């Protein structure tokens, strides 16, 4: 059985072909990073336009790389939400047309379920399958959620962010300091040059669910730190660099980033990692989990991966490879297989759902 999957919920146009649940025959991702970089975030109108440009060549390449003809397909899978509605619509409309033209069923996938399946798929490929019940931490630009996963395809919400998502915190802090979007990968690369113990951040105690996250206080603390230092010239130098080149290299960023700012980045990254891992570990303990899955764009953070492997967590932890952590379509195909096997198909009039929840 072969599934062609399409993902276009945010700023990557992606298509993949997977055979028999776990054989990734192709996974093509066209990133829009250089389009949105200088704006400090995704510009929805530009994202839709870029998806329209990329969708046909990306799907064609995924089919070609995997040696798949449309008649070889068992189903067409697509992300139906959550995400930017204009972006989702491009992938969804194209998937519907392919499903109609090839008379293959359409499988609608929740983007967050895709991220969870990326980790399940990769753990299987690495020969260390995820043991259930598991806890899944999905940390991306739009979401920071903790789910209990009693078995694949069953989810219960344990906690989520009350304000910004973890990736959004990385992106907003980067934007504030004059770096490009997305901020996560830049902070990841620059943080090792700073001292993570240099700036102390305190977390406000939250009432209610102890497994909920909050990142807005951290963002405000960074803003206060910046205001107190009058960093206008330094920030202007980075914005000027970004004006000259859409994707500056690590060396170029380092040349316009003095040590105190590198210390700030390292300390901020450490605080985000602590917030994520503390609540993930508490969730694993609460449900007596046999494994912890960490996925979503933020899961590709090298500091987070290193800390998770040295921290005393109550169970083994699984990260997808960085390529499967950020948005891709292989994860959508992986999540679609159990649905295909259950005969859970979508009608051709299904709508894109910007705020779709998983549970
Ligand atoms: O899952 P994803 O590709 O798209 C969404 O579903 O949002 O996640 C993108 C988010 C962005 O906020 C980006 O800054 C963050 O993931 N991200 C990272 C890293 N790579 C991507 N955050 C921290 N460290 C990274 N290496
Ligand atoms: Zn995502």
């Amino acid at each position: 059985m072969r599934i062609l999957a399409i993902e276009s919920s945010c700023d990557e146009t992606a298509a993949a072909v997977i055979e028999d649940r776990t054989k990734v025959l192709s996974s093509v991702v066209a990133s829009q990073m250089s389009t949105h970089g200088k704006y400090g975030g995704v510009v929805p109108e530009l994202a839709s336009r870029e998806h329209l440009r990329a969708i046909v060549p990306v799907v064609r390449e995924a089919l070609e790389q995997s040696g798949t003809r449309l008649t070889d397909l068992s189903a067409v899978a697509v992300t139906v939400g959550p995400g930017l509605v204009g972006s989702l619509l491009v992938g969804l409309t194209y998937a519907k047309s392919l499903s109609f033209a090839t008379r293959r069923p359409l499988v609608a996938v929740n983007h967050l379920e895709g991220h969870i399946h990326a980790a399940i798929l990769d753990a299987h490929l690495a020969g260390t399958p995820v043991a259930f019940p598991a806890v899944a931490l999905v940390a991306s630009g739009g979401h920071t959620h903790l789910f209990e996963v009693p078995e694949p395809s069953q989810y219960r919400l344990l906690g989520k962010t009350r304000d910004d998502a973890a990736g959004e915190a990385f992106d907003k802090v980067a934007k504030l300091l004059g770096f490009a979007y997305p901020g996560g990968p830049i902070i990841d690369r620059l943080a090792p040059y700073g001292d993570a113990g240099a700036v102390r951040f305190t977390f406000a105690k939250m009432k209610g669910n102890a497994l909920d996250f909050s990142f807005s206080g951290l963002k405000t603390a960074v803003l206060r730190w910046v205001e107190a230092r009058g960093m206008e010239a330094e920030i202007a130098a980075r914005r000027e660099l970004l004006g000259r080149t859409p994707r500056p290299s690590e060396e170029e960023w380092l040349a316009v980033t003095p040590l105190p700012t590198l210390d700030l980045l390292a300390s901020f990254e450490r605080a985000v990692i602590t917030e994520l891992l503390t609540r993930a570990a508490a969730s694993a303990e609460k449900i007596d989990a046999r494994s912890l899955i960490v996925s979503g764009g933020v899961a590709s953070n090298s500091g987070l991966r290193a800390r998770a492997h040295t921290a005393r967590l109550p169970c083994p932890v699984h990260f997808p490879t960085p390529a499967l952590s950020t948005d891709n379509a292989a994860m959508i195909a992986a999540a679609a297989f159990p649905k295909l096997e259950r005969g859970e198909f979508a009608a051709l009039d299904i709508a894109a759902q910007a705020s779709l929840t998983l549970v």
Side-chain angles (χ1 to χ4, degrees), residues 283-312:
S283 302
E285 245 160 44
K286 180 176 176 184
I287 69 145
D288 210 3
R290 294 180 61 211
S291 34
L292 169 64
I293 290 168
V294 187
S295 65
V298 178
S300 52
N301 182 269
S302 30
L304 173 63
R305 295 167 93 95
R307 272 272 293 288
H309 288 117
T310 52
R312 283 221 204 116

Side-chain angles (χ1 to χ4, degrees), residues 105-124:
L106 182 72
V107 181
V109 175
N110 180 306
H111 184 77
L112 298 184
E113 187 170 16
H115 276 303
I116 294 173
H117 275 265
I120 298 174
L121 169 68
D122 236 12
H124 173 88

